[in-house]
Amino acid sequence: MSSKPATAKQLPQQGGLLSQPKAVWAVAFACVISFMGLGLVDPILPAIASQLNATPSQVSLLFTSYNLVTGLAMLITGVVSSRIGVKWTLLSGVVLIIIFSALGGYSNTIGQIVGFRGGWGLGNALFIATALSAIVGLSTSGTAKAIILYEAALGLGISVGPLLGGELGSISWRGPFFGVSVLMLIGFIFIMVMLPKIPKPKTRSTLADPFRALKFPALKTLAIVAFLYNFGFFTLMAYSPYVMGLDEHGLGYVFFGWGILLAITSVFVAPKLQARFNLAGSMGVMLTLFALDLVFMGLGAATGSPTLVIIGVIVAGIFLGINNTLITTAVMESAPVERSVASAAYSFVRFLGGAVSPFLAGKLAEWYNSATPFYFGGAMVLVAVIVLAVRRRHLAGIDVSHGH
């Protein structure tokens, strides 16, 4: 697989977004299910805390263990895929998700769930890092449109996940865990049947490759920005359910609205912004708006107004959808290395932020008050904007590749 991305000039001659081989649709379908797993547990967080006598910070460890293992495992995804091939790496990741999500459903203590979520994170790492490079490599419509398809799968999964999680969670908090296991089994069948054998890279990846990739200033800049931005993202994902005062159904609908806006903006709005403005400037604006939105949620929590928090969560989907597509596109073009290596290096740093932030958000609420996690998350996102502004010269080459 060539690491050279398609340029803006090449795209008009290539197929449309929906003109994809069956293999791309198989991986995209599995991506939808995989990302459903991220939001599926959101509506049941308060129920888990209540039924297992756990604090919000203890329940947040579901996200911490998942993100920590995902981030660390990103370092080995290239090593694994270059030795057993893309197809078997994807299938291995899916099998791990099936096993550990089912074990999570059988758990009886918060410690067991946290541990099994870590195993789930290992499967997630093997799957998502390889899936992105597989979709880009197999797509007939060029890098930019392939990434939009990947982000569409992400948005669809994130939006449907909480809705399904709310329905299953209203029966039992165990329901969403078993739901993921069954859905990923369907994804396994799709990939097994529809994905052709993809030739292994001529050179095998090593554990050092992601670290070498981070030496490129553009990729390092994007990784740092994502690390900081994830403090805001996972404050929203892991902490906001506790201050909205809703049951499983209500939380499912709120995150469904958030996910729908995320999906729509990532597919339809982000490409237009990318074409009209430069990547760094567009990301800076979206991150600033997201930071202000987190402050708005904090004001809702401080004044005891769950309605303001609910509005803030749903509106955040607009900013996050646009930013996700912009930053993923930038990462794929940020370093002269294999796309899978660039994705692994970036994701390693990004998920470390996702590991720290959920637990810290819960602790900040325990130490201070319910608004503090939102204010802190907003402050970290603003620091990401500052980093982006200070180091934006390193992203100039990416903008040039888009015709700017």
PDB file of all heavy atoms in Angstrom, residues 348-361:
ATOM      1  N   PHE A 348      -1.964   6.538  19.330  1.00  0.00           N
ATOM      2  CA  PHE A 348      -1.271   6.228  20.577  1.00  0.00           C
ATOM      3  C   PHE A 348      -1.290   7.438  21.512  1.00  0.00           C
ATOM      4  O   PHE A 348      -1.675   7.334  22.686  1.00  0.00           O
ATOM      5  CB  PHE A 348       0.174   5.814  20.283  1.00  0.00           C
ATOM      6  CG  PHE A 348       1.095   5.872  21.468  1.00  0.00           C
ATOM      7  CD1 PHE A 348       0.904   5.031  22.557  1.00  0.00           C
ATOM      8  CD2 PHE A 348       2.144   6.780  21.500  1.00  0.00           C
ATOM      9  CE1 PHE A 348       1.759   5.085  23.660  1.00  0.00           C
ATOM     10  CE2 PHE A 348       3.002   6.848  22.591  1.00  0.00           C
ATOM     11  CZ  PHE A 348       2.806   6.002  23.669  1.00  0.00           C
ATOM     12  N   VAL A 349      -0.913   8.600  21.003  1.00  0.00           N
ATOM     13  CA  VAL A 349      -0.888   9.817  21.821  1.00  0.00           C
ATOM     14  C   VAL A 349      -2.312  10.258  22.164  1.00  0.00           C
ATOM     15  O   VAL A 349      -2.620  10.602  23.308  1.00  0.00           O
ATOM     16  CB  VAL A 349      -0.144  10.949  21.080  1.00  0.00           C
ATOM     17  CG1 VAL A 349      -0.155  12.227  21.909  1.00  0.00           C
ATOM     18  CG2 VAL A 349       1.288  10.529  20.773  1.00  0.00           C
ATOM     19  N   ARG A 350      -3.200  10.211  21.163  1.00  0.00           N
ATOM     20  CA  ARG A 350      -4.577  10.682  21.352  1.00  0.00           C
ATOM     21  C   ARG A 350      -5.303   9.888  22.444  1.00  0.00           C
ATOM     22  O   ARG A 350      -5.958  10.472  23.313  1.00  0.00           O
ATOM     23  CB  ARG A 350      -5.319  10.543  20.023  1.00  0.00           C
ATOM     24  CG  ARG A 350      -6.818  10.801  20.080  1.00  0.00           C
ATOM     25  CD  ARG A 350      -7.406  10.842  18.682  1.00  0.00           C
ATOM     26  NE  ARG A 350      -7.296   9.570  17.993  1.00  0.00           N
ATOM     27  CZ  ARG A 350      -8.323   8.774  17.694  1.00  0.00           C
ATOM     28  NH1 ARG A 350      -9.542   9.120  18.067  1.00  0.00           N
ATOM     29  NH2 ARG A 350      -8.145   7.647  17.034  1.00  0.00           N
ATOM     30  N   PHE A 351      -5.178   8.560  22.412  1.00  0.00           N
ATOM     31  CA  PHE A 351      -5.908   7.744  23.381  1.00  0.00           C
ATOM     32  C   PHE A 351      -5.340   7.844  24.791  1.00  0.00           C
ATOM     33  O   PHE A 351      -6.042   7.537  25.761  1.00  0.00           O
ATOM     34  CB  PHE A 351      -5.950   6.286  22.921  1.00  0.00           C
ATOM     35  CG  PHE A 351      -7.042   6.003  21.936  1.00  0.00           C
ATOM     36  CD1 PHE A 351      -6.751   5.803  20.594  1.00  0.00           C
ATOM     37  CD2 PHE A 351      -8.367   5.950  22.348  1.00  0.00           C
ATOM     38  CE1 PHE A 351      -7.767   5.546  19.687  1.00  0.00           C
ATOM     39  CE2 PHE A 351      -9.385   5.690  21.448  1.00  0.00           C
ATOM     40  CZ  PHE A 351      -9.085   5.486  20.110  1.00  0.00           C
ATOM     41  N   LEU A 352      -4.096   8.261  24.930  1.00  0.00           N
ATOM     42  CA  LEU A 352      -3.568   8.493  26.278  1.00  0.00           C
ATOM     43  C   LEU A 352      -4.329   9.635  26.941  1.00  0.00           C
ATOM     44  O   LEU A 352      -4.608   9.595  28.148  1.00  0.00           O
ATOM     45  CB  LEU A 352      -2.066   8.792  26.224  1.00  0.00           C
ATOM     46  CG  LEU A 352      -1.158   7.614  25.818  1.00  0.00           C
ATOM     47  CD1 LEU A 352       0.309   8.043  25.878  1.00  0.00           C
ATOM     48  CD2 LEU A 352      -1.394   6.395  26.712  1.00  0.00           C
ATOM     49  N   GLY A 353      -4.666  10.662  26.156  1.00  0.00           N
ATOM     50  CA  GLY A 353      -5.504  11.741  26.684  1.00  0.00           C
ATOM     51  C   GLY A 353      -6.878  11.220  27.064  1.00  0.00           C
ATOM     52  O   GLY A 353      -7.454  11.607  28.093  1.00  0.00           O
ATOM     53  N   GLY A 354      -7.394  10.309  26.244  1.00  0.00           N
ATOM     54  CA  GLY A 354      -8.688   9.706  26.534  1.00  0.00           C
ATOM     55  C   GLY A 354      -8.673   8.791  27.739  1.00  0.00           C
ATOM     56  O   GLY A 354      -9.716   8.502  28.323  1.00  0.00           O
ATOM     57  N   ALA A 355      -7.490   8.305  28.117  1.00  0.00           N
ATOM     58  CA  ALA A 355      -7.370   7.443  29.292  1.00  0.00           C
ATOM     59  C   ALA A 355      -7.393   8.254  30.581  1.00  0.00           C
ATOM     60  O   ALA A 355      -7.996   7.855  31.577  1.00  0.00           O
ATOM     61  CB  ALA A 355      -6.078   6.625  29.206  1.00  0.00           C
ATOM     62  N   VAL A 356      -6.732   9.405  30.579  1.00  0.00           N
ATOM     63  CA  VAL A 356      -6.625  10.235  31.783  1.00  0.00           C
ATOM     64  C   VAL A 356      -7.914  11.010  32.045  1.00  0.00           C
ATOM     65  O   VAL A 356      -8.386  11.101  33.193  1.00  0.00           O
ATOM     66  CB  VAL A 356      -5.440  11.216  31.656  1.00  0.00           C
ATOM     67  CG1 VAL A 356      -5.392  12.154  32.865  1.00  0.00           C
ATOM     68  CG2 VAL A 356      -4.129  10.466  31.510  1.00  0.00           C
ATOM     69  N   SER A 357      -8.512  11.562  30.999  1.00  0.00           N
ATOM     70  CA  SER A 357      -9.590  12.539  31.168  1.00  0.00           C
ATOM     71  C   SER A 357     -10.869  12.011  31.827  1.00  0.00           C
ATOM     72  O   SER A 357     -11.450  12.721  32.667  1.00  0.00           O
ATOM     73  CB  SER A 357      -9.924  13.193  29.822  1.00  0.00           C
ATOM     74  OG  SER A 357     -10.183  12.237  28.825  1.00  0.00           O
ATOM     75  N   PRO A 358     -11.370  10.804  31.518  1.00  0.00           N
ATOM     76  CA  PRO A 358     -12.621  10.383  32.164  1.00  0.00           C
ATOM     77  C   PRO A 358     -12.498  10.254  33.682  1.00  0.00           C
ATOM     78  O   PRO A 358     -13.364  10.721  34.428  1.00  0.00           O
ATOM     79  CB  PRO A 358     -12.911   9.009  31.521  1.00  0.00           C
ATOM     80  CG  PRO A 358     -12.145   9.006  30.256  1.00  0.00           C
ATOM     81  CD  PRO A 358     -10.915   9.800  30.526  1.00  0.00           C
ATOM     82  N   PHE A 359     -11.402   9.621  34.134  1.00  0.00           N
ATOM     83  CA  PHE A 359     -11.194   9.452  35.574  1.00  0.00           C
ATOM     84  C   PHE A 359     -10.993  10.799  36.244  1.00  0.00           C
ATOM     85  O   PHE A 359     -11.546  11.065  37.329  1.00  0.00           O
ATOM     86  CB  PHE A 359      -9.986   8.557  35.813  1.00  0.00           C
ATOM     87  CG  PHE A 359      -9.710   8.297  37.274  1.00  0.00           C
ATOM     88  CD1 PHE A 359     -10.543   7.482  38.026  1.00  0.00           C
ATOM     89  CD2 PHE A 359      -8.620   8.880  37.903  1.00  0.00           C
ATOM     90  CE1 PHE A 359     -10.300   7.245  39.377  1.00  0.00           C
ATOM     91  CE2 PHE A 359      -8.359   8.649  39.252  1.00  0.00           C
ATOM     92  CZ  PHE A 359      -9.204   7.833  39.984  1.00  0.00           C
ATOM     93  N   LEU A 360     -10.219  11.674  35.595  1.00  0.00           N
ATOM     94  CA  LEU A 360      -9.963  12.992  36.168  1.00  0.00           C
ATOM     95  C   LEU A 360     -11.245  13.804  36.271  1.00  0.00           C
ATOM     96  O   LEU A 360     -11.459  14.527  37.254  1.00  0.00           O
ATOM     97  CB  LEU A 360      -8.933  13.737  35.313  1.00  0.00           C
ATOM     98  CG  LEU A 360      -8.512  15.122  35.812  1.00  0.00           C
ATOM     99  CD1 LEU A 360      -7.927  15.032  37.221  1.00  0.00           C
ATOM    100  CD2 LEU A 360      -7.497  15.756  34.862  1.00  0.00           C
ATOM    101  N   ALA A 361     -12.118  13.692  35.270  1.00  0.00           N
ATOM    102  CA  ALA A 361     -13.391  14.423  35.301  1.00  0.00           C
ATOM    103  C   ALA A 361     -14.218  14.009  36.513  1.00  0.00           C
ATOM    104  O   ALA A 361     -14.783  14.858  37.223  1.00  0.00           O
ATOM    105  CB  ALA A 361     -14.174  14.170  34.017  1.00  0.00           C
TER     106      ALA A 361
END
